[in-house]
Amino acid sequence: MNIDALHYRTGEPVRITLQEGFIAAIEPLDTELTLEERAELSMVAPGLVDLQINGYGGYDFNHPALGAEDVKKAVRAVWREGITAFYPTVITGAPYTILGAMRAIARACDEDEASAATIKGIHLEGPFLSPEDGPRGAHALEHIRPPDTALFDQWQEASGGRISIVTLSPEWEGSAEFIRHCVRQGVTVSIGHTSADTAQIAGAVAAGARLSTHLGNGAHAMLPRHPNYLWTQLAEEALWCTLIADGFHLPDEVLKVAMKVKGRRALLVSDAVALAGLAPGSYDTPVGGRVVLTPAGRLHLAGEPGLLAGSAQMLLRHIARLSAAGLASLPDAWDMASVHPAGFMALPAAAGLAPGAPADLALIRRPGTGAAGLALTALCQAGGWVYRRE
């Protein structure tokens, strides 16, 4: 199969040849294109890789009654957002609720080739987080607990070994040994929802922690000028970081500083909740109660408009917003949500648009400007079309 499109990095017309699920060749188009013919071509870019999705399109990976069929439907739903690989995120909850989510995701992957191809692992965000208001965010205090290797192993067994990322706060006694336990299993440990001090963060890094989860969010409203856990994580060169760039979670100056300090180690995540992809309106949710999704895409508590109730925007929005704000070029912003997270998680998709890379490709257009200025026209996964816009 051949795909004619504009290369997302160069803007030049190319023909991409696909064979047996991989990119066989990328060559310049031989023919001279008129302006009209060029305008008909979409841009082609690597499929998006999201390390943190709590839900989408009404499907919630943390619903107590989550089933394998819900997971399968969620996988197919995220395709329309350009995502060819993601990590469903299971957050703080009762141990049996987390266990049920792990079993449902594992069953979906065992029964369904599409789910197995798209879900590259599970992100466990909690329950080993800070109990303090602010850092804890929306995670239920009643279920917050110290790191527990036996409990983690139970969940890992239920997942079929699919837990790939664990977010924790290293402020707990025994955190370093728990981190080493995870690292020995090949699990990436991330620092998040933390009130840890400098020594505790340094200890976590020494034990093998490699990432900061949605840096700048899940924090106290007021912090000491210095030291504090944001400066410490920015300064730790061994730590990569994920950022929520939906335009609501972090101001531009924070994004700019984090991106300058971390460079290629700054990654985008959506941190999307189940209401992402739904129409604006008021909704009742298991976590947070009554919430409002505005026409602008901001999700807030119904009674307190100043308090966010999670992210309702997927990575296309984050990429377009970084580009529109002048914080990154479109190609660089796209890489923050595709080849860079793939590389961090050692996925073959890290090769991007290159011969021999997996044929996971997004075709996109820029129908408008600003934060909403990207539209997916089609998505190819492992050489086959999984989404085409009607």
Side-chain angles (χ1 to χ4, degrees), residues 181-236:
H181 178 79
C182 292
V183 170
R184 284 194 292 267
Q185 298 183 33
V187 176
T188 294
V189 176
S190 186
I191 298 170
H193 290 279
T194 187
S195 61
D197 61 29
T198 298
Q200 290 166 334
I201 291 172
V205 172
R210 301 175 54 225
L211 184 66
S212 296
T213 293
H214 51 53
L215 187 65
N217 294 115
H220 293 96
M222 300 289 288
L223 284 171
R225 181 180 57 215
H226 48 70
N228 65 59
Y229 46 76
L230 297 182
W231 286 118
T232 301
Q233 289 178 84
L234 282 170
E236 280 283 1

Short mmCIF file of all heavy atoms in Angstrom, two decimals, residues 181-236:
data_model
loop_
_atom_site.label_atom_id
_atom_site.label_comp_id
_atom_site.label_asym_id
_atom_site.label_seq_id
_atom_site.Cartn_x
_atom_site.Cartn_y
_atom_site.Cartn_z
N HIS A 181 11.89 -2.67 43.73
CA HIS A 181 11.08 -3.86 43.44
C HIS A 181 10.41 -3.73 42.06
O HIS A 181 10.40 -4.68 41.27
CB HIS A 181 10.02 -4.03 44.53
CG HIS A 181 9.09 -5.19 44.32
ND1 HIS A 181 9.45 -6.49 44.62
CD2 HIS A 181 7.82 -5.24 43.84
CE1 HIS A 181 8.43 -7.30 44.33
NE2 HIS A 181 7.44 -6.57 43.87
N CYS A 182 9.88 -2.55 41.79
CA CYS A 182 9.23 -2.32 40.49
C CYS A 182 10.24 -2.32 39.35
O CYS A 182 10.02 -2.92 38.29
CB CYS A 182 8.48 -0.99 40.51
SG CYS A 182 7.03 -0.96 41.59
N VAL A 183 11.36 -1.64 39.57
CA VAL A 183 12.37 -1.53 38.53
C VAL A 183 12.92 -2.91 38.17
O VAL A 183 13.19 -3.20 36.99
CB VAL A 183 13.50 -0.59 38.98
CG1 VAL A 183 14.69 -0.65 38.02
CG2 VAL A 183 12.98 0.85 39.09
N ARG A 184 13.07 -3.78 39.13
CA ARG A 184 13.53 -5.14 38.84
C ARG A 184 12.58 -5.88 37.92
O ARG A 184 13.00 -6.80 37.20
CB ARG A 184 13.71 -5.93 40.15
CG ARG A 184 14.96 -5.55 40.94
CD ARG A 184 15.26 -6.57 42.03
NE ARG A 184 14.26 -6.56 43.09
CZ ARG A 184 14.35 -5.84 44.20
NH1 ARG A 184 15.40 -5.05 44.41
NH2 ARG A 184 13.41 -5.90 45.14
N GLN A 185 11.32 -5.49 37.89
CA GLN A 185 10.33 -6.10 37.01
C GLN A 185 10.21 -5.37 35.67
O GLN A 185 9.35 -5.72 34.85
CB GLN A 185 8.95 -6.12 37.69
CG GLN A 185 8.89 -6.93 38.97
CD GLN A 185 7.47 -6.97 39.54
OE1 GLN A 185 6.49 -6.95 38.82
NE2 GLN A 185 7.38 -7.04 40.86
N GLY A 186 11.03 -4.36 35.48
CA GLY A 186 10.97 -3.60 34.24
C GLY A 186 9.88 -2.55 34.22
O GLY A 186 9.52 -2.04 33.16
N VAL A 187 9.36 -2.19 35.39
CA VAL A 187 8.30 -1.19 35.50
C VAL A 187 8.92 0.20 35.65
O VAL A 187 9.84 0.39 36.45
CB VAL A 187 7.38 -1.50 36.70
CG1 VAL A 187 6.33 -0.40 36.87
CG2 VAL A 187 6.71 -2.86 36.51
N THR A 188 8.42 1.16 34.90
CA THR A 188 8.86 2.54 35.01
C THR A 188 8.20 3.18 36.22
O THR A 188 6.97 3.16 36.35
CB THR A 188 8.49 3.34 33.74
OG1 THR A 188 9.23 2.81 32.64
CG2 THR A 188 8.81 4.81 33.91
N VAL A 189 8.99 3.77 37.10
CA VAL A 189 8.45 4.45 38.28
C VAL A 189 8.50 5.95 38.07
O VAL A 189 9.53 6.51 37.66
CB VAL A 189 9.24 4.06 39.55
CG1 VAL A 189 8.74 4.85 40.75
CG2 VAL A 189 9.12 2.56 39.81
N SER A 190 7.37 6.59 38.33
CA SER A 190 7.23 8.03 38.14
C SER A 190 6.85 8.69 39.45
O SER A 190 6.08 8.14 40.24
CB SER A 190 6.16 8.31 37.08
OG SER A 190 6.10 9.69 36.78
N ILE A 191 7.38 9.89 39.69
CA ILE A 191 7.06 10.66 40.88
C ILE A 191 5.90 11.58 40.56
O ILE A 191 5.93 12.33 39.59
CB ILE A 191 8.28 11.48 41.34
CG1 ILE A 191 9.44 10.55 41.70
CG2 ILE A 191 7.91 12.38 42.51
CD1 ILE A 191 10.75 11.28 41.94
N GLY A 192 4.85 11.54 41.38
CA GLY A 192 3.71 12.40 41.15
C GLY A 192 2.82 12.48 42.37
O GLY A 192 2.91 11.66 43.27
N HIS A 193 1.95 13.48 42.40
CA HIS A 193 1.06 13.69 43.53
C HIS A 193 1.86 13.60 44.83
O HIS A 193 1.53 12.83 45.73
CB HIS A 193 -0.08 12.67 43.51
CG HIS A 193 -1.06 12.90 42.41
ND1 HIS A 193 -2.07 13.84 42.49
CD2 HIS A 193 -1.18 12.32 41.18
CE1 HIS A 193 -2.78 13.82 41.37
NE2 HIS A 193 -2.25 12.92 40.56
N THR A 194 2.92 14.39 44.91
CA THR A 194 3.90 14.25 45.99
C THR A 194 4.09 15.52 46.79
O THR A 194 3.90 16.63 46.27
CB THR A 194 5.26 13.82 45.40
OG1 THR A 194 6.15 13.52 46.46
CG2 THR A 194 5.86 14.91 44.53
N SER A 195 4.43 15.35 48.05
CA SER A 195 4.93 16.45 48.87
C SER A 195 6.32 16.11 49.40
O SER A 195 6.75 16.62 50.43
CB SER A 195 3.98 16.74 50.04
OG SER A 195 3.85 15.62 50.88
N ALA A 196 7.01 15.23 48.66
CA ALA A 196 8.33 14.76 49.09
C ALA A 196 9.34 15.90 49.12
O ALA A 196 9.26 16.86 48.34
CB ALA A 196 8.82 13.67 48.14
N ASP A 197 10.30 15.77 50.02
CA ASP A 197 11.35 16.78 50.10
C ASP A 197 12.50 16.40 49.15
O ASP A 197 12.47 15.36 48.47
CB ASP A 197 11.84 16.96 51.53
CG ASP A 197 12.45 15.70 52.14
OD1 ASP A 197 12.99 14.85 51.40
OD2 ASP A 197 12.38 15.56 53.38
N THR A 198 13.51 17.25 49.12
CA THR A 198 14.61 17.07 48.17
C THR A 198 15.32 15.74 48.38
O THR A 198 15.63 15.03 47.41
CB THR A 198 15.61 18.23 48.31
OG1 THR A 198 14.95 19.45 47.98
CG2 THR A 198 16.81 18.04 47.39
N ALA A 199 15.58 15.38 49.63
CA ALA A 199 16.29 14.13 49.90
C ALA A 199 15.45 12.92 49.48
O ALA A 199 15.99 11.94 48.95
CB ALA A 199 16.64 14.05 51.38
N GLN A 200 14.16 12.99 49.70
CA GLN A 200 13.29 11.87 49.33
C GLN A 200 13.21 11.71 47.81
O GLN A 200 13.21 10.58 47.30
CB GLN A 200 11.90 12.08 49.92
CG GLN A 200 11.87 11.93 51.44
CD GLN A 200 10.59 12.46 52.06
OE1 GLN A 200 9.93 13.34 51.51
NE2 GLN A 200 10.23 11.92 53.22
N ILE A 201 13.17 12.81 47.10
CA ILE A 201 13.16 12.73 45.63
C ILE A 201 14.49 12.20 45.13
O ILE A 201 14.54 11.34 44.24
CB ILE A 201 12.82 14.11 45.03
CG1 ILE A 201 11.37 14.47 45.33
CG2 ILE A 201 13.07 14.11 43.52
CD1 ILE A 201 10.98 15.88 44.94
N ALA A 202 15.59 12.68 45.71
CA ALA A 202 16.90 12.18 45.32
C ALA A 202 17.02 10.68 45.59
O ALA A 202 17.58 9.93 44.79
CB ALA A 202 18.00 12.94 46.06
N GLY A 203 16.47 10.23 46.71
CA GLY A 203 16.48 8.81 47.01
C GLY A 203 15.67 7.99 46.03
O GLY A 203 16.05 6.87 45.66
N ALA A 204 14.55 8.56 45.58
CA ALA A 204 13.72 7.86 44.60
C ALA A 204 14.46 7.72 43.27
O ALA A 204 14.42 6.67 42.62
CB ALA A 204 12.41 8.61 44.40
N VAL A 205 15.14 8.78 42.87
CA VAL A 205 15.91 8.74 41.62
C VAL A 205 17.04 7.71 41.75
O VAL A 205 17.29 6.92 40.82
CB VAL A 205 16.44 10.13 41.27
CG1 VAL A 205 17.41 10.05 40.09
CG2 VAL A 205 15.29 11.08 40.95
N ALA A 206 17.71 7.71 42.88
CA ALA A 206 18.80 6.74 43.09
C ALA A 206 18.28 5.31 43.05
O ALA A 206 18.98 4.40 42.60
CB ALA A 206 19.49 7.01 44.42
N ALA A 207 17.03 5.11 43.48
CA ALA A 207 16.43 3.78 43.47
C ALA A 207 15.93 3.37 42.10
O ALA A 207 15.64 2.20 41.86
CB ALA A 207 15.29 3.71 44.48
N GLY A 208 15.81 4.35 41.18
CA GLY A 208 15.43 4.00 39.82
C GLY A 208 14.26 4.75 39.24
O GLY A 208 13.86 4.48 38.09
N ALA A 209 13.67 5.71 39.95
CA ALA A 209 12.58 6.52 39.39
C ALA A 209 13.11 7.30 38.19
O ALA A 209 14.21 7.85 38.23
CB ALA A 209 12.01 7.46 40.43
N ARG A 210 12.29 7.40 37.11
CA ARG A 210 12.78 7.99 35.86
C ARG A 210 11.89 9.11 35.32
O ARG A 210 12.22 9.71 34.30
CB ARG A 210 12.89 6.91 34.78
CG ARG A 210 13.82 5.76 35.11
CD ARG A 210 13.76 4.69 34.02
NE ARG A 210 14.02 5.24 32.71
CZ ARG A 210 13.29 4.95 31.61
NH1 ARG A 210 12.27 4.12 31.70
NH2 ARG A 210 13.60 5.47 30.45
N LEU A 211 10.75 9.37 35.96
CA LEU A 211 9.76 10.25 35.35
C LEU A 211 9.05 11.07 36.42
O LEU A 211 8.99 10.66 37.58
CB LEU A 211 8.74 9.39 34.59
CG LEU A 211 7.63 10.08 33.78
CD1 LEU A 211 8.21 10.84 32.60
CD2 LEU A 211 6.61 9.05 33.29
N SER A 212 8.53 12.23 36.01
CA SER A 212 7.63 13.02 36.85
C SER A 212 6.27 13.06 36.15
O SER A 212 6.18 13.44 34.98
CB SER A 212 8.14 14.46 37.03
OG SER A 212 9.36 14.48 37.73
N THR A 213 5.24 12.68 36.88
CA THR A 213 3.89 12.63 36.32
C THR A 213 3.24 14.01 36.35
O THR A 213 3.22 14.67 37.38
CB THR A 213 3.02 11.63 37.10
OG1 THR A 213 3.53 10.31 36.88
CG2 THR A 213 1.57 11.68 36.66
N HIS A 214 2.69 14.44 35.20
CA HIS A 214 2.06 15.75 34.99
C HIS A 214 2.65 16.81 35.92
O HIS A 214 1.98 17.38 36.77
CB HIS A 214 0.54 15.69 35.05
CG HIS A 214 -0.08 15.04 36.25
ND1 HIS A 214 0.22 15.38 37.54
CD2 HIS A 214 -1.01 14.06 36.34
CE1 HIS A 214 -0.48 14.67 38.39
NE2 HIS A 214 -1.25 13.85 37.68
N LEU A 215 3.93 17.09 35.69
CA LEU A 215 4.67 18.03 36.52
C LEU A 215 3.96 19.39 36.55
O LEU A 215 3.54 19.92 35.52
CB LEU A 215 6.09 18.21 35.96
CG LEU A 215 7.04 19.05 36.82
CD1 LEU A 215 7.31 18.37 38.15
CD2 LEU A 215 8.35 19.28 36.08
N GLY A 216 3.82 19.93 37.76
CA GLY A 216 3.15 21.22 37.93
C GLY A 216 1.70 21.08 38.33
O GLY A 216 1.08 22.07 38.76
N ASN A 217 1.13 19.92 38.20
CA ASN A 217 -0.23 19.64 38.66
C ASN A 217 -0.16 18.57 39.75
O ASN A 217 0.81 17.84 39.86
CB ASN A 217 -1.11 19.19 37.50
CG ASN A 217 -1.33 20.28 36.48
OD1 ASN A 217 -0.90 20.19 35.33
ND2 ASN A 217 -1.99 21.35 36.90
N GLY A 218 -1.23 18.49 40.55
CA GLY A 218 -1.17 17.62 41.71
C GLY A 218 -0.15 18.17 42.70
O GLY A 218 0.78 17.49 43.12
N ALA A 219 -0.34 19.45 43.09
CA ALA A 219 0.62 20.15 43.95
C ALA A 219 -0.13 21.10 44.88
O ALA A 219 -1.31 21.40 44.67
CB ALA A 219 1.62 20.93 43.10
N HIS A 220 0.56 21.55 45.91
CA HIS A 220 -0.01 22.55 46.81
C HIS A 220 -0.27 23.85 46.04
O HIS A 220 0.47 24.20 45.10
CB HIS A 220 0.94 22.85 47.96
CG HIS A 220 1.14 21.72 48.91
ND1 HIS A 220 2.20 20.86 48.81
CD2 HIS A 220 0.41 21.31 49.98
CE1 HIS A 220 2.14 19.96 49.79
NE2 HIS A 220 1.06 20.21 50.51
N ALA A 221 -1.29 24.58 46.46
CA ALA A 221 -1.55 25.88 45.86
C ALA A 221 -0.46 26.88 46.23
O ALA A 221 -0.14 27.78 45.46
CB ALA A 221 -2.91 26.40 46.32
N MET A 222 0.14 26.71 47.43
CA MET A 222 1.23 27.59 47.89
C MET A 222 2.43 26.72 48.26
O MET A 222 2.28 25.71 48.96
CB MET A 222 0.79 28.40 49.11
CG MET A 222 -0.41 29.30 48.86
SD MET A 222 -0.01 30.70 47.79
CE MET A 222 0.99 31.69 48.91
N LEU A 223 3.60 27.13 47.79
CA LEU A 223 4.84 26.39 48.05
C LEU A 223 5.91 27.32 48.57
O LEU A 223 5.90 28.53 48.27
CB LEU A 223 5.35 25.74 46.75
CG LEU A 223 4.65 24.50 46.24
CD1 LEU A 223 5.17 24.14 44.85
CD2 LEU A 223 4.86 23.34 47.20
N PRO A 224 6.88 26.80 49.33
CA PRO A 224 8.04 27.62 49.68
C PRO A 224 8.75 28.09 48.41
O PRO A 224 8.75 27.38 47.39
CB PRO A 224 8.93 26.65 50.47
CG PRO A 224 8.03 25.56 50.92
CD PRO A 224 6.96 25.44 49.89
N ARG A 225 9.34 29.26 48.49
CA ARG A 225 10.05 29.79 47.32
C ARG A 225 11.10 28.78 46.85
O ARG A 225 11.21 28.48 45.67
CB ARG A 225 10.68 31.13 47.70
CG ARG A 225 11.43 31.81 46.56
CD ARG A 225 12.01 33.13 47.04
NE ARG A 225 12.88 32.92 48.19
CZ ARG A 225 13.00 33.77 49.20
NH1 ARG A 225 12.26 34.87 49.23
NH2 ARG A 225 13.83 33.52 50.19
N HIS A 226 11.89 28.28 47.79
CA HIS A 226 12.85 27.21 47.53
C HIS A 226 13.40 26.76 48.88
O HIS A 226 13.50 27.58 49.82
CB HIS A 226 13.99 27.67 46.60
CG HIS A 226 14.63 28.97 46.96
ND1 HIS A 226 15.43 29.15 48.08
CD2 HIS A 226 14.57 30.18 46.36
CE1 HIS A 226 15.85 30.40 48.12
NE2 HIS A 226 15.34 31.06 47.10
N PRO A 227 13.71 25.47 49.03
CA PRO A 227 13.49 24.45 48.00
C PRO A 227 12.02 24.01 47.97
O PRO A 227 11.28 24.23 48.93
CB PRO A 227 14.39 23.30 48.47
CG PRO A 227 14.35 23.43 49.97
CD PRO A 227 14.32 24.91 50.25
N ASN A 228 11.62 23.39 46.88
CA ASN A 228 10.33 22.72 46.81
C ASN A 228 10.41 21.61 45.77
O ASN A 228 11.36 21.55 44.99
CB ASN A 228 9.18 23.70 46.51
CG ASN A 228 9.29 24.34 45.13
OD1 ASN A 228 9.31 23.66 44.11
ND2 ASN A 228 9.36 25.67 45.10
N TYR A 229 9.42 20.74 45.77
CA TYR A 229 9.50 19.53 44.94
C TYR A 229 9.40 19.80 43.45
O TYR A 229 9.79 18.95 42.64
CB TYR A 229 8.44 18.50 45.38
CG TYR A 229 7.05 19.06 45.59
CD1 TYR A 229 6.22 19.37 44.53
CD2 TYR A 229 6.56 19.25 46.87
CE1 TYR A 229 4.95 19.87 44.73
CE2 TYR A 229 5.28 19.73 47.10
CZ TYR A 229 4.47 20.05 46.02
OH TYR A 229 3.21 20.55 46.22
N LEU A 230 8.92 20.97 43.04
CA LEU A 230 8.90 21.27 41.60
C LEU A 230 10.31 21.61 41.12
O LEU A 230 10.77 21.08 40.09
CB LEU A 230 7.93 22.42 41.31
CG LEU A 230 6.47 22.16 41.64
CD1 LEU A 230 5.61 23.37 41.25
CD2 LEU A 230 5.96 20.91 40.94
N TRP A 231 11.01 22.51 41.85
CA TRP A 231 12.40 22.82 41.49
C TRP A 231 13.25 21.56 41.50
O TRP A 231 14.08 21.34 40.59
CB TRP A 231 12.98 23.83 42.47
CG TRP A 231 12.51 25.24 42.35
CD1 TRP A 231 11.85 25.96 43.29
CD2 TRP A 231 12.67 26.10 41.22
NE1 TRP A 231 11.59 27.23 42.82
CE2 TRP A 231 12.09 27.35 41.56
CE3 TRP A 231 13.26 25.96 39.96
CZ2 TRP A 231 12.06 28.43 40.68
CZ3 TRP A 231 13.24 27.03 39.08
CH2 TRP A 231 12.65 28.24 39.44
N THR A 232 13.06 20.73 42.53
CA THR A 232 13.90 19.55 42.67
C THR A 232 13.72 18.60 41.49
O THR A 232 14.69 18.07 40.94
CB THR A 232 13.57 18.82 43.98
OG1 THR A 232 13.79 19.71 45.08
CG2 THR A 232 14.44 17.59 44.15
N GLN A 233 12.48 18.39 41.08
CA GLN A 233 12.24 17.48 39.94
C GLN A 233 12.74 18.09 38.63
O GLN A 233 13.26 17.37 37.78
CB GLN A 233 10.75 17.15 39.85
CG GLN A 233 10.28 16.24 40.98
CD GLN A 233 8.80 15.96 40.91
OE1 GLN A 233 8.35 15.07 40.20
NE2 GLN A 233 8.02 16.74 41.64
N LEU A 234 12.59 19.38 38.47
CA LEU A 234 13.14 20.01 37.27
C LEU A 234 14.65 19.87 37.22
O LEU A 234 15.24 19.65 36.15
CB LEU A 234 12.76 21.50 37.24
CG LEU A 234 11.35 21.85 36.79
CD1 LEU A 234 11.05 23.32 37.05
CD2 LEU A 234 11.14 21.53 35.31
N ALA A 235 15.29 19.97 38.37
CA ALA A 235 16.75 19.94 38.42
C ALA A 235 17.32 18.53 38.30
O ALA A 235 18.50 18.37 37.95
CB ALA A 235 17.25 20.59 39.70
N GLU A 236 16.52 17.51 38.58
CA GLU A 236 16.99 16.13 38.51
C GLU A 236 17.11 15.71 37.04
O GLU A 236 16.11 15.44 36.38
CB GLU A 236 16.04 15.19 39.26
CG GLU A 236 16.22 15.19 40.76
CD GLU A 236 17.45 14.38 41.20
OE1 GLU A 236 18.16 13.83 40.32
OE2 GLU A 236 17.69 14.31 42.42
#
